[in-house]
Amino acid sequence: MLRMHVLALIASGAAKTRRHLNEFFSRTFFAFQYGDVDEVMAKVGTILGELSSYGFITNEQFISAAALDVHPLAATRTGMRVSELYLDPRSAHFMLTSLKPQAYVEHLLIINRCIEMLPLLRVKAREQ
């Protein structure tokens, strides 16, 4: 879920640099519960690298650690669309890398392997 929020903040223009992300997350209940904003930002840094490797954000801001606050964060066209569709970036990347001419059944199998399709309810053995 944090991946979706980070991409949404960048795609909407609410966070234009890593410093803006730090300011935003430091004021959230998540950071308060987590207790350490630096650890939250370490997770956000990992997510930024992941989003960049997927091609959902521009990667120019990863030149150096000092440059992270200077270079703007921007979503690519694909990243904007993923955010607009409320998809988990990992699922979107999986679907995009799996696209090739296939039968409809294979497309359904790809969709069903996405994070959004995981069961949310736990079914007890006796209920099956």
Side-chain angles (χ1 to χ4, degrees):
M1 287 300 258
L2 190 57
R3 283 184 299 273
M4 291 174 64
H5 294 297
V6 171
L7 182 58
L9 286 168
I10 295 169
S12 69
K16 297 183 189 294
T17 64
R18 187 174 172 139
R19 183 176 45 83
H20 291 140
L21 284 173
N22 190 1
E23 290 170 3
F24 176 83
F25 282 109
S26 66
R27 293 176 291 175
T28 62
F29 186 63
F30 175 67
F32 175 77
Q33 274 188 317
Y34 209 80
D36 187 7
V37 177
D38 292 332
E39 280 189 48
V40 171
M41 287 313 296
K43 289 182 182 295
V44 169
T46 302
I47 289 170
L48 288 173
E50 188 176 351
L51 293 174
S52 177
S53 71
Y54 294 163
F56 295 161
I57 61 172
T58 57
N59 61 1
E60 64 181 317
Q61 71 274 13
F62 293 100
I63 296 170
S64 69
L68 287 173
D69 289 337
V70 177
H71 293 286
L73 294 170
T76 61
R77 288 181 59 192
T78 306
M80 293 283 285
R81 192 65 175 155
V82 168
S83 179
E84 290 170 354
L85 294 173
Y86 299 103
L87 291 173
D88 185 291
R90 196 172 282 168
S91 294
H93 175 69
F94 174 72
M95 286 188 279
L96 290 170
T97 56
S98 300
L99 285 178
K100 52 189 164 188
Q102 298 173 341
Y104 291 119
V105 173
E106 292 171 317
H107 287 292
L108 290 173
L109 291 172
I110 290 169
I111 292 169
N112 282 323
R113 290 188 56 202
C114 293
I115 295 168
E116 290 84 357
M117 299 303 285
L118 294 175
L120 298 176
L121 301 174
R122 294 184 186 213
V123 180
K124 297 177 184 172
R126 63 184 170 146
E127 293 174 349
Q128 289 182 354

